[in-house]
């Protein structure tokens, strides 16, 4: 989701000259939002918010000037059906792309963090745990430059209880500025992301159960409820929201692993795996989706999130649970 090269991990924003929408009539905006990370999740999500909530001013910021330049051009850095039209309809009105991260943090009350959290390649948890260095860098920068209370929204896929650690980082500022951390995981599928955002099955928002935590939850709910039915906006505690993203991907990956394993049995017995998938998919308890046998998972997210889940289970001493989910990956490596 965060397309900045790994070497560019500094939050120095002195090199930019983009305007922060200063020529726009500020009186028409009731809420100001920024998203740190102009990638596959941050760009489309913020464009959708800007489209359906014209009274919300939206900044998308990134440390990569080339990435931002493309968002401000006719050649967007990613392709999704409907994205180009959506961006062009609201860009310069209530949607702005910039490298001025510090300015956006100071101006906005709700700050989405949508940075890359790849699988660790070194140290404890290498090959399984999520690497949170980009998230921590973003949190430390927010704590350093914030000029008042902020609502921080986890948009990246993160391990359970990451919000607790990030809150500690944010609250360690020497100016006693308060922060509320929310979890708002994305459930986008490549190729249908804009449709998923316009008419989501659900929007999940997790927050602390304190009075201030619930106040922050309601504020973010109100943004989505400008176009999403209230019944589709689900609120939970922080930990449930963080875990739900990993579990959703794990369950979908499990279906792919299951049908892939059955394909081997079909080959051995003379059955047709497509016919078997069609037959069981007619059972309404099972359904027809994610029953196409294929090589692996068809992408990196499922395996990354399952390995994250495995590491999480191992960390809590849940050996049998960890082994169960690890097998979902192994059957596709087989």
């Amino acid at each position: 989701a965060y397309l900045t090269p790994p070497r560019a991990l500094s939050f120095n924003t002195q090199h930019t000259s983009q305007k922060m929408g200063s020529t726009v009539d500020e009186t028409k905006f009731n809420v100001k939002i920024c998203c740190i990370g102009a990638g596959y999740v941050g760009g489309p999500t913020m464009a959708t918010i800007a489209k359906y909530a014209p009274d919300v001013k939206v900044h998308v910021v990134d440390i990569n000037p080339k990435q931002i330049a493309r968002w401000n051009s006719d050649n967007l850095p990613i392709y999704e059906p409907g994205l180009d039209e959506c961006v062009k309809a609201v860009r310069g009105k209530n949607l702005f792309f910039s490298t001025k991260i510090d300015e956006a943090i100071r101006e906005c009350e709700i700050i989405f963090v949508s940075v890359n959290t790849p699988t660790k390649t070194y140290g404890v948890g290498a090959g399984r745990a999520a690497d949170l260095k980009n998230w921590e860098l973003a949190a430390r920068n927010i704590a350093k430059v914030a000029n008042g209370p902020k609502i921080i929204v986890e948009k990246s896929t993160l391990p359970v209880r990451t919000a607790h650690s990030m809150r500690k980082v944010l609250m360690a500022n020497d100016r006693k500025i308060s922060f509320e951390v929310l979890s708002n995981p994305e459930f986008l599928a490549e190729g249908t992301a804009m449709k998923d955002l316009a008419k989501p099955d659900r929007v999940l928002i997790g927050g602390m159960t304190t009075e201030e935590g619930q106040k922050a939850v309601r504020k973010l709910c109100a943004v989505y409820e400008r176009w999403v039915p209230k019944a589709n906006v689900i609120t939970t505690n922080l930990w449930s929201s963080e875990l739900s993203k990993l579990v959703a991907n794990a369950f979908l990956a499990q279906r792919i692993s299951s049908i892939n394993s059955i394909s081997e049995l079909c080959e051995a017995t003379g059955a047709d795996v497509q016919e078997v998938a069609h037959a069981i998919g007619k059972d309404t308890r099972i359904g027809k989706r994610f029953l196409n046998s294929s090589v692996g998972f068809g992408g990196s997210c499922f395996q990354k999130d399952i390995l994250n889940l495995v590491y999480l289970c191992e960390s809590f001493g849940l050996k049998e649970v960890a082994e169960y989910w690890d097998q979902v990956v192994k059957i596709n490596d087989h």
Side-chain angles (χ1 to χ4, degrees):
Y2 195 53
L3 302 186
T4 299
R7 60 183 175 79
L9 291 176
S10 166
F11 280 87
N12 180 7
T13 60
Q14 298 303 310
H15 59 276
T16 184
S17 61
Q18 289 104 334
K19 294 182 180 180
M20 297 293 292
S22 57
T23 60
V24 175
D25 179 11
E26 298 291 330
T27 61
K28 69 179 183 179
F29 299 125
N30 295 314
V31 181
K32 295 182 179 180
I33 291 173
C34 87
C35 177
I36 300 174
Y40 179 79
V41 174
T45 301
M46 295 301 112
T48 301
I49 291 176
K51 176 182 178 179
Y52 290 103
D55 66 318
V56 176
K57 186 178 183 182
V58 181
H59 289 291
V60 182
V61 292
D62 197 294
I63 57 177
N64 186 340
K66 291 182 179 179
Q67 180 81 348
I68 291 300
R70 289 193 64 184
W71 278 110
N72 281 319
S73 73
D74 291 331
N75 183 25
L76 302 186
I78 61 174
Y79 174 76
E80 274 291 330
L83 175 61
D84 191 67
E85 296 84 354
C86 181
V87 169
K88 289 179 180 178
V90 292
R91 189 174 58 196
K93 297 177 182 178
N94 66 326
L95 175 66
F96 306 92
F97 296 94
S98 171
T99 55
K100 294 188 176 182
I101 298 174
D102 293 359
E103 288 186 27
I105 290 170
R106 284 190 285 265
E107 179 181 346
C108 300
E109 54 198 300
I110 301 176
I111 302 169
F112 285 78
V113 181
S114 183
V115 298
N116 193 21
T117 53
T119 302
K120 289 182 72 175
T121 57
Y122 59 90
V124 177
R128 298 196 175 195
D131 190 337
L132 302 179
K133 64 182 179 183
N134 289 339
W135 221 106
E136 184 176 350
L137 275 170
R140 291 188 184 281
N141 190 59
I142 292 168
K144 182 180 73 174
V145 304
N147 55 352
K150 306 288 181 182
I151 298 171
I152 312 302
V153 184
E154 296 178 340
K155 204 64 183 172
S156 309
T157 302
L158 299 166
V160 182
R161 301 193 75 83
T162 298
H164 181 70
S165 300
M166 291 302 105
R167 195 168 188 274
K168 285 185 175 181
V169 171
L170 291 164
M171 298 300 283
N173 70 87
D174 57 6
R175 291 162 295 147
K176 307 300 180 184
I177 294 175
S178 63
F179 297 90
E180 286 299 328
V181 181
L182 304 181
S183 170
N184 176 219
E186 54 85 14
F187 299 99
L188 307 179
E190 188 174 349
T192 61
M194 298 308 290
K195 290 181 180 179
D196 296 338
L197 288 163
K199 295 183 178 180
D201 294 331
R202 79 288 198 198
V203 171
L204 181 59
I205 299 172
M208 299 288 286
T209 55
T210 61
E211 182 179 347
E212 288 302 310
Q214 289 304 295
K215 183 178 177 181
V217 168
R218 289 192 296 271
K219 197 170 190 72
L220 184 56
C221 285
V223 172
Y224 282 108
E225 286 169 4
R226 282 164 166 79
W227 79 95
V228 180
K230 285 189 177 183
N232 289 9
V233 180
I234 303 170
T235 60
T236 68
N237 68 37
L238 265 174
W239 327 133
S240 296
S241 179
E242 288 179 329
L243 184 58
S244 292
K245 168 63 177 180
L246 293 179
V247 173
N249 277 359
F251 270 58
L252 293 173
Q254 183 186 47
R255 287 173 67 91
I256 296 172
S257 290
S258 295
I259 198 65
N260 282 349
S261 68
I262 295 303
S263 69
E264 285 198 70
L265 182 59
C266 287
E267 290 178 8
T269 60
D272 186 321
V273 67
Q274 290 184 327
E275 292 177 347
V276 172
H278 178 71
I280 66 173
K282 287 294 184 180
D283 188 326
T284 56
R285 297 169 299 174
I286 298 173
K288 64 182 181 180
R289 301 188 67 181
F290 286 85
L291 288 180
N292 291 320
S293 181
S294 62
V295 178
F297 295 117
S300 62
C301 288
F302 283 173
Q303 179 157 324
K304 176 175 78 76
D305 289 351
I306 292 179
L307 291 174
N308 195 342
L309 186 64
V310 169
Y311 180 73
L312 183 66
C313 294
E314 290 174 343
S315 299
F316 284 98
L318 305 174
K319 181 182 176 182
E320 291 78 12
V321 180
E323 290 176 347
Y324 173 83
W325 286 109
D326 196 32
Q327 190 60 35
V328 173
V329 174
K330 287 180 177 178
I331 196 68
N332 270 327
D333 290 338
H334 164 61

